[in-house]
Amino acid sequence: MSEMVKFGAIIYAKDMQALSEFYLKMFDLSVLHKTDKLVSIGGGGFNVVVHAPPEEIPERKFNAVKLYIAVESLNTAKSKAEGLGGKALKGEWSNSIFKVCNIADPEGNHIQLREFLQ
């Protein structure tokens, strides 16, 4: 994928290898990147990141599937979410491509926001 993917899903998995294989074969996707904590797979402009949960979190607090959406500004998007009845969650993380944070929609579903650095 030469273009930055702006939409996709993060799926937290107990067995990353088995779940990755399911998505690879079911939807004819390819492995884009793999580490000991995640397998990024995609095709056709869509990306699925099969990820080990970042910590042990009770089911009621944590979704197994989490959307990610690129935004122009994390700060603007967090403010907008709160204005629409959602919640900006604590913390920001970054890598060489984007910085991220999480919000929750009004029903508590988590969404990762990505602000591309380039």
Side-chain angles (χ1 to χ4, degrees), residues 7-11 46-50 65-68:
F7 307 97
I10 297 169
I11 303 174
F46 187 71
N47 181 225
V48 175
V49 180
V50 180
V65 176
K66 178 166 69 171
L67 297 176
Y68 68 82

Side-chain angles (χ1 to χ4, degrees), residues 65-112:
V65 176
K66 178 166 69 171
L67 297 176
Y68 68 82
I69 300 172
V71 297
E72 291 294 318
S73 163
L74 294 183
N75 290 331
T76 301
K78 288 190 285 188
S79 294
K80 185 175 182 179
E82 289 179 333
L84 294 169
K87 183 177 180 182
L89 304 176
K90 292 183 180 181
E92 284 188 11
W93 303 267
S94 64
N95 60 33
S96 61
I97 302 169
F98 49 76
K99 61 182 181 176
V100 302
C101 70
N102 293 303
I103 61 168
D105 68 19
E107 293 193 11
N109 297 304
H110 291 197
I111 301 165
Q112 182 184 87

Side-chain angles (χ1 to χ4, degrees), residues 16-32:
M16 287 188 330
Q17 185 61 34
L19 197 59
S20 298
E21 287 298 318
F22 172 84
Y23 281 93
L24 285 165
K25 293 175 181 172
M26 180 74 189
F27 301 109
D28 195 28
L29 301 172
S30 301
V31 174
L32 304 174

Side-chain angles (χ1 to χ4, degrees), residues 33-46:
H33 181 74
K34 186 174 183 177
T35 71
D36 61 335
K37 296 189 183 216
L38 66 86
V39 180
S40 178
I41 57 181
F46 187 71

